[in-house]
Amino acid sequence: MNSAVECWGLTKNYRGLRALDGLSLKIEPGEFFGLLGPNGAGKSTFVKIMVGLVRQTGGWAQIGDAPAGGVRANRSFGYLPELFRFPPWMTGRELLNLHGRLISMSSPDIAKRSTEVLELAGMADAADRRISGYSKGMQQRIGLAQAVLGRPPILFLDEPTSALDPVGRAHVRNLLAALASEGTTIVLNSHLLTDVERVCDRIAVIDHGRVIKTGRPSDLSGGGPLLLRLDGWDKALIEQLSERFGRVETDINGREIRIYNDDDEAAPKVAAFISTHDRRLYELCRERGTLEDVFLELLGRGDGE
Ligand code: ADP
């Protein structure tokens, strides 16, 4: 089966500025894929090439088995750009009607599907109000409704939640999760790491126009120390733990211990060891870094930058 979205060695120069520098990516059908990277990394340029708004300088890009930018590729996706403006005099429903006609949907289908997507985007109550009266967040949600109107198998979203408050973001996350569970391939470009971490199956970290890492969010942020919470500890216990399991750190309140051992079997062994001592174990888990920690580490931008 073809991948849903694929590119090899994609380059893009804007008058001497190298926005993409050999970007290669493969996104499988049905994946919820996140693009992460600092401002200027090239994420929007990649999306714009995929949706045919920008032509690459070099390399190859395709959607399904069709070259990106061609008519066949353009029929297979929905798109919500980062910066968009809809005609302010239209109502949300009129906007959907226009888009439905532009993509050759039948009138009864437009009416039925508009009601569905307005509901999904939480815009049903505002559907017959003019867009000029919509907040930025409402405009983003009507934009999303427009992007999914034609039931596209692939969806490109460039910063779809940037203007939303936490409630609006949760709403959009749920909408996207519902689309993903129906098999839509979603390519999400967002700087909101928690959103990406929560919803994406896989992510690519992009910097200076290249992919520097891909993986599942949990794989990228996995592998911290084991954290133990006890009713207390003494020097002898710490010495024995470090002899058996590796480096141990204790905290100042005398209850938490961190053991730096990334073996999956370490946790049950530590639990068994503690149970042979006169200590009560309240918690034992693997601490994971946040995606933000991983992101900063990958980009080599620690504290202060
Ligand atoms: P991101 O989406 O990761 O923030 P972009 O793809 O928007 O990154 O931009 C990548 C680089 O290309 C940036 O340095 C940006 O300034 C530059 N760039 C983007 N679009 C244009 C353009 N139309 N003309 C000139 N430079 C551009």
Side-chain angles (χ1 to χ4, degrees):
M1 188 163 57
N2 279 312
S3 40
V5 174
E6 191 165 354
C7 66
W8 309 272
L10 214 51
T11 57
K12 176 67 193 174
N13 297 338
Y14 290 111
R15 296 196 183 156
L17 187 141
R18 194 99 165 141
L20 293 185
D21 188 21
L23 188 131
S24 301
L25 258 186
K26 194 169 171 176
I27 301 172
E28 301 301 339
E31 266 196 306
F32 198 145
F33 198 90
L35 300 171
L36 282 184
N39 288 336
K43 305 176 300 293
S44 290
T45 301
F46 160 76
V47 171
K48 283 180 189 159
I49 291 172
M50 285 299 166
V51 301
L53 288 176
V54 164
R55 190 179 291 274
Q56 68 263 40
T57 308
W60 177 254
Q62 67 182 46
I63 296 194
D65 61 356
V71 175
R72 208 150 52 84
N74 288 352
R75 289 218 167 102
S76 59
F77 60 79
Y79 172 47
L80 179 62
E82 182 179 10
L83 300 171
F84 57 86
R85 265 180 74 86
F86 296 127
W89 61 88
M90 281 188 165
T91 66
R93 198 184 301 277
E94 285 166 353
L95 177 84
L96 296 184
N97 194 27
L98 172 67
H99 274 266
R101 284 178 16 228
L102 286 172
I103 57 173
S104 309
M105 290 169 76
S106 70
S107 297
D109 194 25
I110 294 174
K112 177 171 169 281
R113 183 65 179 154
S114 294
T115 306
E116 273 172 25
V117 296
L118 284 164
E119 194 65 49
L120 276 172
M123 288 296 289
D125 291 346
D128 296 310
R129 279 164 47 193
R130 281 180 199 271
I131 291 171
S132 56
Y134 285 2
S135 67
K136 185 80 207 326
M138 290 165 84
Q139 290 187 34
Q140 218 155 25
R141 284 192 277 153
I142 200 72
L144 201 54
Q146 163 275 129
V148 301
L149 185 73
R151 305 178 187 86
I154 302 172
L155 196 54
F156 288 98
L157 304 170
D158 205 344
E159 299 283 359
T161 58
S162 58
L164 300 176
D165 61 18
V167 177
R169 276 165 59 195
H171 204 108
V172 168
R173 270 203 307 271
N174 294 341
L175 163 62
L176 297 182
L179 290 167
S181 72
E182 289 164 9
T184 309
T185 307
I186 304 177
V187 183
L188 170 69
N189 180 359
S190 173
H191 69 279
L192 296 165
L193 297 183
T194 44
D195 282 359
V196 174
E197 195 161 17
R198 280 197 200 163
V199 295
C200 291
D201 301 318
R202 214 151 58 89
I203 56 177
V205 181
I206 296 178
D207 195 23
H208 297 300
R210 287 167 167 267
V211 174
I212 55 170
K213 187 103 182 172
T214 54
R216 291 184 308 182
S218 59
D219 291 343
L220 294 184
S221 58
L226 283 177
L227 171 71
L228 282 77
R229 214 155 54 77
L230 303 169
D231 57 349
W233 48 264
D234 53 35
K235 210 163 152 241
L237 176 69
I238 300 302
E239 278 171 10
Q240 289 178 40
L241 283 172
S242 67
E243 260 168 37
R244 281 184 167 74
F245 302 108
R247 185 161 70 88
V248 176
E249 273 178 14
T250 54
D251 77 335
I252 44 171
N253 67 25
R255 300 182 123 234
E256 285 182 2
I257 297 176
R258 283 178 179 74
I259 303 178
Y260 290 82
N261 180 324
D262 54 17
D263 182 356
D264 268 351
E265 290 305 310
K269 286 183 187 158
V270 167
F273 179 77
I274 296 289
S275 70
T276 63
H277 283 66
D278 199 15
R279 288 290 169 202
R280 293 167 76 85
L281 178 61
Y282 290 98
E283 191 176 346
L284 172 59
C285 63
R286 181 152 317 268
E287 269 193 330
R288 295 186 182 275
T290 63
L291 202 53
E292 187 168 326
D293 299 335
V294 180
F295 183 65
L296 291 174
E297 197 181 312
L298 279 172
L299 300 177
R301 287 164 208 185
D303 295 346
E305 267 186 76

